[in-house]
Amino acid sequence: IPAVLEQVRSIHPTITPTRMLELFRENDPAAVRVMSETAGRVAQAASMLCNAVNPELVLIGGSLAGAGDTFIEEIRQKMQPLALELNRGASVNVGFLGKNASALGGVARVFELFASNQLFAT
């Protein structure tokens, strides 16, 4: 996110992640350009993930999740030519757990292991 914000800081010196997303939704030319480039980079990373492990679902979380459907659709479109044909079936959606997603996933895994009596197995 800091790298994304830095790209528009010369035009919008006091930019914040929230303001960046507002400018993007308002079709500010600088914000739209930067977010399009960001969608390309996210699509590249997601397509590499798809080519490596072939997931069914790719969730976009954190600050970028607030960019909306236009941003997610651009990621989907930019992923298509980058992913191998076999691996193009992954859905791309917005995660809804916010910045606590990793912590919640870790806690869920501990509960899962506890419930299956594997938590203290050696």
Side-chain angles (χ1 to χ4, degrees):
I1 298 303
V4 172
L5 298 179
E6 192 58 40
Q7 293 182 50
V8 295
R9 205 167 299 272
S10 63
I11 299 168
H12 303 287
T14 59
I15 195 78
T16 64
T18 302
R19 183 65 182 138
M20 178 68 173
L21 297 181
E22 288 171 358
L23 290 170
F24 176 65
R25 285 189 286 274
E26 294 168 4
N27 289 318
D28 176 84
V32 169
R33 178 187 53 78
V34 168
M35 291 301 287
S36 180
E37 290 172 7
T38 301
R41 290 187 179 117
V42 171
Q44 186 176 28
S47 65
M48 285 189 277
L49 172 72
C50 289
N51 289 335
V53 296
N54 196 16
E56 292 180 22
L57 175 65
V58 175
L59 289 176
I60 306 299
S63 298
L64 294 179
D69 293 338
T70 303
F71 182 71
I72 299 302
E73 185 56 36
E74 189 166 356
I75 292 171
R76 285 183 190 120
Q77 290 175 2
K78 290 182 175 188
M79 276 179 63
Q80 288 303 310
L82 299 173
L84 298 172
E85 188 173 342
L86 174 69
N87 301 325
R88 289 185 185 154
S91 296
V92 179
N93 293 316
V94 175
F96 59 88
L97 295 177
K99 58 185 168 184
N100 296 323
S102 296
L104 291 170
V107 169
R109 181 66 177 143
V110 169
F111 281 127
E112 182 180 84
L113 292 171
F114 181 78
S116 64
N117 291 322
Q118 296 177 13
L119 185 61
F120 300 108
T122 55

